[in-house]
Amino acid sequence: MSDKPDAEALFEWSDEMASLQLYKAIQNTHQQIDDKEVSHNLSFRDLHLATLMHGLEEADQLTEVIFAARTKLGRDTDHIRPNRAEALRLLMRIGLEEVAPETVEVAVEANKEYAIDKVEEF
């Protein structure tokens, strides 16, 4: 019997360390946003997505996309704000949940813990 850890155990340990690193980074970023050291806005340039989003808005189809995205995420569909920012936020969340569900789980837990800590500070 060997004293060397098996590859699977090393990968699990590596994944746990990466998750912990992300967890701490998210909480640190929350504090930086609260301290106004980091912006809570995101921006990016993409010609094709820009034309699509503006086109959806002009064709009065943005609400349908937002409705579908909110439905997919299991969110309230009664109070839809038909704007590009809302659509992009929701669609980005769907994409992240599709390609990196474990990452989203870590983010959710880090955000919850940060919110709980802020309430307990009161």
Side-chain angles (χ1 to χ4, degrees):
M1 187 168 226
S2 172
D3 290 337
K4 291 182 182 178
D6 65 5
E8 188 173 319
L10 285 174
F11 282 126
E12 286 178 22
W13 179 82
S14 178
D15 287 346
E16 287 176 22
M17 292 306 295
S19 292
L20 180 60
Q21 184 178 11
L22 176 60
Y23 184 94
K24 288 180 177 181
I26 289 169
Q27 289 198 330
N28 182 48
T29 303
H30 253 298
Q31 188 61 55
Q32 290 174 326
I33 289 171
D34 285 351
D35 294 342
K36 300 195 182 345
E37 296 172 6
V38 173
S39 173
H40 68 277
N41 292 319
L42 298 174
S43 61
F44 61 93
R45 295 174 196 258
D46 188 302
L47 173 65
H48 301 294
L49 283 177
T51 58
L52 173 59
M53 296 308 291
H54 285 284
L56 286 167
E57 193 171 47
E58 188 176 319
D60 291 326
Q61 296 178 16
L62 195 56
T63 301
E64 289 88 5
V65 170
I66 293 170
F67 181 86
R70 285 175 112 13
T71 300
K72 173 99 174 148
L73 291 168
R75 297 193 176 181
D76 176 33
T77 56
D78 292 336
H79 302 96
I80 293 177
R81 294 172 289 172
N83 61 62
R84 292 186 308 272
E86 174 75 358
L88 290 169
R89 273 193 300 274
L90 295 167
L91 295 170
M92 183 174 231
R93 283 187 169 95
I94 290 169
L96 283 169
E97 286 184 4
E98 182 70 28
V99 301
E102 300 85 10
T103 299
V104 172
E105 287 176 25
V106 170
V108 166
E109 290 305 313
N111 289 328
K112 281 182 187 176
E113 184 70 27
Y114 186 82
I116 289 168
D117 288 348
K118 292 302 277 184
V119 169
E120 289 177 355
E121 284 180 10
F122 185 73

PDB file of all heavy atoms in Angstrom, residues 70-83:
ATOM      1  N   ARG A  70     -36.754  34.855 -16.668  1.00  0.00           N
ATOM      2  CA  ARG A  70     -37.225  34.813 -15.293  1.00  0.00           C
ATOM      3  C   ARG A  70     -37.895  33.468 -14.992  1.00  0.00           C
ATOM      4  O   ARG A  70     -37.722  32.916 -13.902  1.00  0.00           O
ATOM      5  CB  ARG A  70     -38.180  35.971 -15.010  1.00  0.00           C
ATOM      6  CG  ARG A  70     -37.463  37.316 -14.854  1.00  0.00           C
ATOM      7  CD  ARG A  70     -38.387  38.473 -14.689  1.00  0.00           C
ATOM      8  NE  ARG A  70     -38.510  39.217 -13.478  1.00  0.00           N
ATOM      9  CZ  ARG A  70     -37.759  39.229 -12.399  1.00  0.00           C
ATOM     10  NH1 ARG A  70     -36.759  38.423 -12.304  1.00  0.00           N
ATOM     11  NH2 ARG A  70     -37.987  40.026 -11.387  1.00  0.00           N
ATOM     12  N   THR A  71     -38.626  32.953 -15.948  1.00  0.00           N
ATOM     13  CA  THR A  71     -39.263  31.642 -15.786  1.00  0.00           C
ATOM     14  C   THR A  71     -38.201  30.564 -15.620  1.00  0.00           C
ATOM     15  O   THR A  71     -38.295  29.713 -14.730  1.00  0.00           O
ATOM     16  CB  THR A  71     -40.173  31.341 -16.987  1.00  0.00           C
ATOM     17  OG1 THR A  71     -41.183  32.349 -17.066  1.00  0.00           O
ATOM     18  CG2 THR A  71     -40.829  29.982 -16.857  1.00  0.00           C
ATOM     19  N   LYS A  72     -37.188  30.586 -16.460  1.00  0.00           N
ATOM     20  CA  LYS A  72     -36.104  29.591 -16.404  1.00  0.00           C
ATOM     21  C   LYS A  72     -35.405  29.616 -15.050  1.00  0.00           C
ATOM     22  O   LYS A  72     -35.027  28.569 -14.513  1.00  0.00           O
ATOM     23  CB  LYS A  72     -35.099  29.863 -17.523  1.00  0.00           C
ATOM     24  CG  LYS A  72     -33.861  29.028 -17.506  1.00  0.00           C
ATOM     25  CD  LYS A  72     -33.970  27.901 -18.454  1.00  0.00           C
ATOM     26  CE  LYS A  72     -32.644  27.155 -18.525  1.00  0.00           C
ATOM     27  NZ  LYS A  72     -32.828  25.766 -18.765  1.00  0.00           N
ATOM     28  N   LEU A  73     -35.247  30.811 -14.478  1.00  0.00           N
ATOM     29  CA  LEU A  73     -34.575  30.948 -13.190  1.00  0.00           C
ATOM     30  C   LEU A  73     -35.510  30.760 -11.999  1.00  0.00           C
ATOM     31  O   LEU A  73     -35.080  30.830 -10.847  1.00  0.00           O
ATOM     32  CB  LEU A  73     -33.909  32.331 -13.098  1.00  0.00           C
ATOM     33  CG  LEU A  73     -32.714  32.544 -14.019  1.00  0.00           C
ATOM     34  CD1 LEU A  73     -32.325  34.018 -14.054  1.00  0.00           C
ATOM     35  CD2 LEU A  73     -31.531  31.674 -13.582  1.00  0.00           C
ATOM     36  N   GLY A  74     -36.817  30.542 -12.284  1.00  0.00           N
ATOM     37  CA  GLY A  74     -37.779  30.346 -11.204  1.00  0.00           C
ATOM     38  C   GLY A  74     -38.076  31.629 -10.449  1.00  0.00           C
ATOM     39  O   GLY A  74     -38.369  31.593  -9.257  1.00  0.00           O
ATOM     40  N   ARG A  75     -38.024  32.746 -11.133  1.00  0.00           N
ATOM     41  CA  ARG A  75     -38.268  34.041 -10.495  1.00  0.00           C
ATOM     42  C   ARG A  75     -39.645  34.578 -10.839  1.00  0.00           C
ATOM     43  O   ARG A  75     -40.271  34.150 -11.798  1.00  0.00           O
ATOM     44  CB  ARG A  75     -37.205  35.042 -10.929  1.00  0.00           C
ATOM     45  CG  ARG A  75     -35.835  34.603 -10.468  1.00  0.00           C
ATOM     46  CD  ARG A  75     -34.854  35.682 -10.603  1.00  0.00           C
ATOM     47  NE  ARG A  75     -33.573  35.231 -10.062  1.00  0.00           N
ATOM     48  CZ  ARG A  75     -32.514  35.981 -10.024  1.00  0.00           C
ATOM     49  NH1 ARG A  75     -32.580  37.213 -10.482  1.00  0.00           N
ATOM     50  NH2 ARG A  75     -31.398  35.517  -9.536  1.00  0.00           N
ATOM     51  N   ASP A  76     -40.068  35.555 -10.065  1.00  0.00           N
ATOM     52  CA  ASP A  76     -41.358  36.215 -10.255  1.00  0.00           C
ATOM     53  C   ASP A  76     -41.448  36.797 -11.668  1.00  0.00           C
ATOM     54  O   ASP A  76     -40.521  37.449 -12.139  1.00  0.00           O
ATOM     55  CB  ASP A  76     -41.513  37.331  -9.218  1.00  0.00           C
ATOM     56  CG  ASP A  76     -42.776  38.140  -9.390  1.00  0.00           C
ATOM     57  OD1 ASP A  76     -43.798  37.567  -9.822  1.00  0.00           O
ATOM     58  OD2 ASP A  76     -42.745  39.342  -9.087  1.00  0.00           O
ATOM     59  N   THR A  77     -42.544  36.537 -12.338  1.00  0.00           N
ATOM     60  CA  THR A  77     -42.743  37.068 -13.691  1.00  0.00           C
ATOM     61  C   THR A  77     -43.842  38.128 -13.729  1.00  0.00           C
ATOM     62  O   THR A  77     -44.219  38.596 -14.797  1.00  0.00           O
ATOM     63  CB  THR A  77     -43.104  35.936 -14.689  1.00  0.00           C
ATOM     64  OG1 THR A  77     -44.255  35.256 -14.202  1.00  0.00           O
ATOM     65  CG2 THR A  77     -41.952  34.968 -14.859  1.00  0.00           C
ATOM     66  N   ASP A  78     -44.340  38.515 -12.564  1.00  0.00           N
ATOM     67  CA  ASP A  78     -45.419  39.507 -12.514  1.00  0.00           C
ATOM     68  C   ASP A  78     -44.929  40.939 -12.681  1.00  0.00           C
ATOM     69  O   ASP A  78     -45.664  41.790 -13.153  1.00  0.00           O
ATOM     70  CB  ASP A  78     -46.181  39.392 -11.191  1.00  0.00           C
ATOM     71  CG  ASP A  78     -46.961  38.094 -11.093  1.00  0.00           C
ATOM     72  OD1 ASP A  78     -47.292  37.513 -12.147  1.00  0.00           O
ATOM     73  OD2 ASP A  78     -47.220  37.657  -9.965  1.00  0.00           O
ATOM     74  N   HIS A  79     -43.715  41.207 -12.270  1.00  0.00           N
ATOM     75  CA  HIS A  79     -43.208  42.580 -12.292  1.00  0.00           C
ATOM     76  C   HIS A  79     -41.944  42.670 -13.143  1.00  0.00           C
ATOM     77  O   HIS A  79     -40.839  42.797 -12.622  1.00  0.00           O
ATOM     78  CB  HIS A  79     -42.924  43.065 -10.867  1.00  0.00           C
ATOM     79  CG  HIS A  79     -44.124  42.996  -9.994  1.00  0.00           C
ATOM     80  ND1 HIS A  79     -44.373  41.931  -9.164  1.00  0.00           N
ATOM     81  CD2 HIS A  79     -45.163  43.840  -9.842  1.00  0.00           C
ATOM     82  CE1 HIS A  79     -45.509  42.132  -8.525  1.00  0.00           C
ATOM     83  NE2 HIS A  79     -46.009  43.284  -8.921  1.00  0.00           N
ATOM     84  N   ILE A  80     -42.112  42.617 -14.434  1.00  0.00           N
ATOM     85  CA  ILE A  80     -40.984  42.649 -15.355  1.00  0.00           C
ATOM     86  C   ILE A  80     -40.661  44.087 -15.724  1.00  0.00           C
ATOM     87  O   ILE A  80     -41.545  44.863 -16.087  1.00  0.00           O
ATOM     88  CB  ILE A  80     -41.278  41.816 -16.619  1.00  0.00           C
ATOM     89  CG1 ILE A  80     -41.370  40.343 -16.238  1.00  0.00           C
ATOM     90  CG2 ILE A  80     -40.221  42.046 -17.675  1.00  0.00           C
ATOM     91  CD1 ILE A  80     -41.733  39.434 -17.372  1.00  0.00           C
ATOM     92  N   ARG A  81     -39.369  44.423 -15.606  1.00  0.00           N
ATOM     93  CA  ARG A  81     -38.888  45.729 -16.057  1.00  0.00           C
ATOM     94  C   ARG A  81     -38.246  45.524 -17.423  1.00  0.00           C
ATOM     95  O   ARG A  81     -37.140  44.992 -17.516  1.00  0.00           O
ATOM     96  CB  ARG A  81     -37.853  46.285 -15.089  1.00  0.00           C
ATOM     97  CG  ARG A  81     -38.423  46.613 -13.720  1.00  0.00           C
ATOM     98  CD  ARG A  81     -37.328  46.969 -12.769  1.00  0.00           C
ATOM     99  NE  ARG A  81     -36.588  45.735 -12.458  1.00  0.00           N
ATOM    100  CZ  ARG A  81     -35.470  45.691 -11.774  1.00  0.00           C
ATOM    101  NH1 ARG A  81     -34.927  46.783 -11.339  1.00  0.00           N
ATOM    102  NH2 ARG A  81     -34.892  44.546 -11.521  1.00  0.00           N
ATOM    103  N   PRO A  82     -38.932  45.910 -18.490  1.00  0.00           N
ATOM    104  CA  PRO A  82     -38.385  45.627 -19.826  1.00  0.00           C
ATOM    105  C   PRO A  82     -37.247  46.575 -20.197  1.00  0.00           C
ATOM    106  O   PRO A  82     -37.451  47.605 -20.820  1.00  0.00           O
ATOM    107  CB  PRO A  82     -39.595  45.801 -20.745  1.00  0.00           C
ATOM    108  CG  PRO A  82     -40.478  46.759 -20.025  1.00  0.00           C
ATOM    109  CD  PRO A  82     -40.236  46.542 -18.559  1.00  0.00           C
ATOM    110  N   ASN A  83     -36.030  46.206 -19.779  1.00  0.00           N
ATOM    111  CA  ASN A  83     -34.872  46.988 -20.185  1.00  0.00           C
ATOM    112  C   ASN A  83     -33.701  46.046 -20.460  1.00  0.00           C
ATOM    113  O   ASN A  83     -33.681  44.901 -20.003  1.00  0.00           O
ATOM    114  CB  ASN A  83     -34.519  48.063 -19.141  1.00  0.00           C
ATOM    115  CG  ASN A  83     -34.170  47.486 -17.790  1.00  0.00           C
ATOM    116  OD1 ASN A  83     -33.207  46.741 -17.665  1.00  0.00           O
ATOM    117  ND2 ASN A  83     -34.958  47.812 -16.781  1.00  0.00           N
TER     118      ASN A  83
END
